[in-house]
Amino acid sequence: MNKKIGILDSGIGGTTVLKEIINLLPKEDYVYYADNKNNPYGEKTPEEIYNIVDKIVEFLIKEKNCKMVVLACNTATTQCMKQLQEKYQNILFVGTVPAIKAACDNNYKNILVLATPVTITSKRTQELIRDNKKKNQQIILKSCDGLANAIEIKDKNKIYKILRNIQKELEGTKIDSIVLGCTHYPLIKKEFNEFFPNIPLLDGSLGVAKQVKRELEKKEILSGTGTGKIEYIYSKND
Ligand code: DGL
Protein backbone atom coordinates (compact mmCIF):
# COMPACT_ATOMS: atom_id res chain seq x y z
CA MET A 1 0.00 0.00 0.00
CA ASN A 2 1.80 3.18 -1.08
CA LYS A 3 -0.78 5.88 -0.54
CA LYS A 4 0.69 9.00 1.04
CA ILE A 5 0.47 10.54 4.48
CA GLY A 6 -0.93 14.08 4.43
CA ILE A 7 0.32 16.56 6.99
CA LEU A 8 -1.08 20.04 7.50
CA ASP A 9 -0.39 23.17 9.47
CA SER A 10 -0.87 26.92 9.10
CA GLY A 11 2.68 27.12 7.72
CA ILE A 12 6.13 25.86 8.71
CA GLY A 13 5.24 24.76 12.27
CA GLY A 14 4.19 21.26 11.30
CA THR A 15 7.63 20.54 9.87
CA THR A 16 8.72 19.95 13.50
CA VAL A 17 6.25 17.04 13.54
CA LEU A 18 7.05 15.91 9.98
CA LYS A 19 10.73 15.56 10.93
CA GLU A 20 9.93 13.10 13.73
CA ILE A 21 7.49 11.13 11.57
CA ILE A 22 10.04 10.70 8.76
CA ASN A 23 12.64 9.54 11.29
CA LEU A 24 10.30 6.76 12.39
CA LEU A 25 8.79 6.03 8.99
CA PRO A 26 11.39 6.62 6.25
CA LYS A 27 9.63 4.27 3.84
CA GLU A 28 6.48 6.36 3.53
CA ASP A 29 5.80 9.23 1.13
CA TYR A 30 4.35 12.54 2.31
CA VAL A 31 2.34 15.57 1.25
CA TYR A 32 2.97 18.58 3.49
CA TYR A 33 0.35 21.33 3.22
CA ALA A 34 1.52 24.67 4.63
CA ASP A 35 -1.48 26.98 4.79
CA ASN A 36 0.65 30.09 5.17
CA LYS A 37 -2.05 32.19 3.47
CA ASN A 38 -4.33 31.70 6.48
CA ASN A 39 -1.67 31.97 9.20
CA PRO A 40 -2.29 32.52 12.07
CA TYR A 41 -5.08 30.00 12.77
CA GLY A 42 -4.84 30.62 16.50
CA GLU A 43 -6.41 34.05 16.29
CA LYS A 44 -9.45 33.05 14.18
CA THR A 45 -12.90 31.84 15.30
CA PRO A 46 -13.48 28.07 15.68
CA GLU A 47 -15.87 28.18 12.68
CA GLU A 48 -13.30 29.91 10.48
CA ILE A 49 -10.64 27.39 11.49
CA TYR A 50 -12.92 24.42 10.83
CA ASN A 51 -13.94 25.68 7.38
CA ILE A 52 -10.32 26.29 6.37
CA VAL A 53 -9.02 22.96 7.69
CA ASP A 54 -11.95 20.97 6.28
CA LYS A 55 -11.11 22.19 2.74
CA ILE A 56 -7.47 21.17 3.11
CA VAL A 57 -8.42 17.75 4.47
CA GLU A 58 -10.78 17.25 1.52
CA PHE A 59 -7.99 18.23 -0.88
CA LEU A 60 -5.51 15.82 0.74
CA ILE A 61 -7.99 12.96 0.58
CA LYS A 62 -9.57 13.59 -2.83
CA GLU A 63 -6.75 15.19 -4.84
CA LYS A 64 -3.74 13.64 -3.16
CA ASN A 65 -5.26 10.29 -2.25
CA CYS A 66 -3.86 10.29 1.29
CA LYS A 67 -4.49 7.32 3.59
CA MET A 68 -3.99 9.38 6.73
CA VAL A 69 -4.16 13.06 7.66
CA VAL A 70 -1.95 14.41 10.43
CA LEU A 71 -3.11 17.70 11.94
CA ALA A 72 0.39 18.93 12.80
CA CYS A 73 -1.18 21.92 14.49
CA ASN A 74 -2.46 22.13 18.05
CA THR A 75 -4.95 24.84 17.12
CA ALA A 76 -6.53 22.76 14.33
CA THR A 77 -6.55 19.62 16.49
CA THR A 78 -8.19 21.22 19.52
CA GLN A 79 -10.85 22.86 17.31
CA CYS A 80 -11.56 20.37 14.52
CA MET A 81 -10.41 16.83 15.27
CA LYS A 82 -13.71 15.38 16.49
CA GLN A 83 -15.80 16.92 13.68
CA LEU A 84 -13.32 15.78 11.01
CA GLN A 85 -13.28 12.22 12.34
CA GLU A 86 -17.06 12.16 12.19
CA LYS A 87 -17.14 13.55 8.65
CA TYR A 88 -14.39 11.40 7.10
CA GLN A 89 -14.91 8.07 8.81
CA ASN A 90 -12.76 6.03 6.40
CA ILE A 91 -9.67 8.16 6.93
CA LEU A 92 -7.19 7.89 9.76
CA PHE A 93 -6.55 11.10 11.65
CA VAL A 94 -3.76 11.86 14.09
CA GLY A 95 -3.56 15.24 15.78
CA THR A 96 -1.26 17.08 18.14
CA VAL A 97 -2.27 18.63 21.47
CA PRO A 98 -0.13 20.44 24.07
CA ALA A 99 2.10 17.90 25.87
CA ILE A 100 0.34 18.46 29.22
CA LYS A 101 0.11 14.71 29.86
CA ALA A 102 3.87 14.25 29.38
CA ALA A 103 4.62 17.17 31.70
CA CYS A 104 2.28 15.82 34.39
CA ASP A 105 3.57 12.24 34.02
CA ASN A 106 7.10 13.59 34.51
CA ASN A 107 5.98 15.01 37.86
CA TYR A 108 6.93 18.60 37.13
CA LYS A 109 5.27 20.72 39.82
CA ASN A 110 4.89 24.07 38.07
CA ILE A 111 4.08 23.63 34.40
CA LEU A 112 3.83 26.57 32.03
CA VAL A 113 1.78 25.90 28.88
CA LEU A 114 2.36 28.27 25.98
CA ALA A 115 0.05 28.12 22.96
CA THR A 116 -2.13 30.17 20.63
CA PRO A 117 -5.13 32.03 22.13
CA VAL A 118 -7.57 29.51 20.64
CA THR A 119 -5.68 26.48 22.00
CA ILE A 120 -5.31 28.01 25.45
CA THR A 121 -9.06 28.68 25.78
CA SER A 122 -10.12 25.38 24.17
CA LYS A 123 -12.22 22.70 25.83
CA ARG A 124 -9.59 20.14 24.80
CA THR A 125 -6.90 21.91 26.85
CA GLN A 126 -9.21 21.92 29.88
CA GLU A 127 -9.82 18.18 29.38
CA LEU A 128 -6.07 17.50 29.25
CA ILE A 129 -5.61 19.33 32.55
CA ARG A 130 -8.60 17.60 34.16
CA ASP A 131 -7.37 14.14 33.09
CA ASN A 132 -3.67 14.51 33.92
CA LYS A 133 -2.96 17.12 36.59
CA LYS A 134 -2.18 15.75 40.04
CA LYS A 135 -3.16 17.62 43.20
CA ASN A 136 0.36 18.88 43.88
CA GLN A 137 0.81 20.22 40.35
CA GLN A 138 0.11 23.68 39.02
CA ILE A 139 -0.61 24.50 35.38
CA ILE A 140 -0.10 28.06 34.19
CA LEU A 141 -1.76 28.79 30.87
CA LYS A 142 -0.36 31.59 28.75
CA SER A 143 -1.53 32.55 25.28
CA CYS A 144 1.21 33.92 23.04
CA ASP A 145 -0.63 36.25 20.70
CA GLY A 146 1.30 36.92 17.51
CA LEU A 147 4.14 34.48 18.20
CA ALA A 148 3.23 31.77 15.65
CA ASN A 149 2.91 34.41 12.96
CA ALA A 150 6.20 36.10 13.91
CA ILE A 151 7.91 32.70 13.59
CA GLU A 152 6.14 32.02 10.29
CA ILE A 153 7.33 35.29 8.74
CA LYS A 154 10.71 35.05 10.51
CA ASP A 155 10.33 38.42 12.23
CA LYS A 156 13.17 38.19 14.77
CA ASN A 157 12.41 41.53 16.43
CA LYS A 158 8.80 40.58 17.02
CA ILE A 159 9.79 37.13 18.35
CA TYR A 160 12.13 38.76 20.89
CA LYS A 161 9.54 41.38 21.86
CA ILE A 162 6.88 38.73 22.54
CA LEU A 163 9.28 36.50 24.51
CA ARG A 164 10.49 39.50 26.53
CA ASN A 165 6.87 40.37 27.43
CA ILE A 166 6.08 36.79 28.47
CA GLN A 167 9.24 36.68 30.59
CA LYS A 168 8.27 39.98 32.25
CA GLU A 169 4.70 38.87 32.95
CA LEU A 170 5.97 35.67 34.55
CA GLU A 171 8.66 37.31 36.65
CA GLY A 172 8.70 35.71 40.10
CA THR A 173 6.55 32.75 38.99
CA LYS A 174 8.10 29.35 39.68
CA ILE A 175 8.35 27.31 36.46
CA ASP A 176 9.77 23.75 36.28
CA SER A 177 8.91 22.94 32.67
CA ILE A 178 7.47 24.64 29.62
CA VAL A 179 5.03 22.94 27.27
CA LEU A 180 5.41 24.31 23.75
CA GLY A 181 1.77 23.92 22.75
CA CYS A 182 2.08 25.18 19.19
CA THR A 183 4.08 23.38 16.53
CA HIS A 184 5.75 26.62 15.47
CA TYR A 185 7.37 27.12 18.88
CA PRO A 186 9.99 24.30 18.75
CA LEU A 187 11.49 26.17 15.78
CA ILE A 188 12.69 28.82 18.26
CA LYS A 189 13.90 26.55 21.08
CA LYS A 190 17.17 28.45 21.11
CA GLU A 191 15.36 31.73 21.84
CA PHE A 192 13.20 30.08 24.53
CA ASN A 193 16.39 28.83 26.17
CA GLU A 194 17.77 32.37 26.20
CA PHE A 195 14.71 33.78 27.97
CA PHE A 196 14.00 30.75 30.19
CA PRO A 197 17.41 29.17 30.81
CA ASN A 198 17.64 25.66 32.26
CA ILE A 199 13.90 25.02 32.06
CA PRO A 200 13.03 21.83 30.13
CA LEU A 201 10.95 22.43 26.97
CA LEU A 202 8.38 19.78 26.06
CA ASP A 203 6.53 19.30 22.81
CA GLY A 204 4.33 16.61 21.33
CA SER A 205 6.13 15.89 18.06
CA LEU A 206 7.75 12.55 18.96
CA GLY A 207 4.52 11.35 20.57
CA VAL A 208 2.60 12.20 17.40
CA ALA A 209 5.12 10.34 15.24
CA LYS A 210 4.80 7.23 17.43
CA GLN A 211 1.03 7.44 17.23
CA VAL A 212 1.16 7.73 13.42
CA LYS A 213 3.26 4.55 13.29
CA ARG A 214 0.95 2.69 15.71
CA GLU A 215 -2.20 3.61 13.78
CA LEU A 216 -0.75 2.54 10.43
CA GLU A 217 0.49 -0.73 11.93
CA LYS A 218 -2.87 -1.41 13.52
CA LYS A 219 -4.67 -0.98 10.19
CA GLU A 220 -1.85 -2.81 8.38
CA ILE A 221 -1.40 0.02 5.90
CA LEU A 222 2.30 0.82 6.34
CA SER A 223 3.85 1.42 2.95
CA GLY A 224 7.32 -0.11 3.04
CA THR A 225 7.86 0.91 -0.59
CA GLY A 226 7.97 4.69 -0.14
CA THR A 227 11.21 6.64 -0.12
CA GLY A 228 10.54 9.49 2.33
CA LYS A 229 9.64 11.78 -0.56
CA ILE A 230 7.88 14.99 0.51
CA GLU A 231 5.65 17.07 -1.72
CA TYR A 232 5.39 20.56 -0.20
CA ILE A 233 2.33 22.66 -1.00
CA TYR A 234 2.12 26.30 0.11
CA SER A 235 -1.24 28.10 -0.09
CA LYS A 236 0.64 31.37 -0.67
CA ASN A 237 3.84 31.59 -2.65
CA ASP A 238 5.87 34.74 -2.10
N1 DGL B 1 1.27 25.69 14.44
C1 DGL B 1 -0.03 25.87 14.92
C2 DGL B 1 -0.32 25.25 16.26
O1 DGL B 1 0.28 24.24 16.59
C3 DGL B 1 -0.85 27.06 14.53
C4 DGL B 1 -0.31 28.41 14.75
C5 DGL B 1 -1.24 29.45 14.19
O2 DGL B 1 -1.46 29.44 12.99
O3 DGL B 1 -1.76 30.25 14.98
O4 DGL B 1 -1.15 25.70 17.00
Side-chain angles (χ1 to χ4, degrees), residues 9-10 39-42 73-75 116 119 148 181-184:
D9 179 46
S10 67
N39 181 287
Y41 283 179
C73 172
N74 295 264
T75 307
T116 66
T119 299
C182 165
T183 54
H184 279 72

Side-chain angles (χ1 to χ4, degrees), residues 41-44 49 74-79 97-100 111-129 139-145 166 178-182 185:
Y41 283 179
E43 289 156 50
K44 293 185 164 43
I49 299 168
N74 295 264
T75 307
T77 306
T78 56
Q79 300 307 310
V97 291
I100 293 171
I111 301 161
L112 172 65
V113 180
L114 301 177
T116 66
V118 161
T119 299
I120 287 295
T121 53
S122 71
K123 203 171 138 220
R124 189 75 189 94
T125 296
Q126 284 310 319
E127 287 168 358
L128 287 165
I129 296 171
I139 312 262
I140 308 145
L141 296 174
K142 179 98 202 74
S143 87
C144 306
D145 307 34
I166 296 172
I178 302 178
V179 172
L180 302 179
C182 165
Y185 301 170

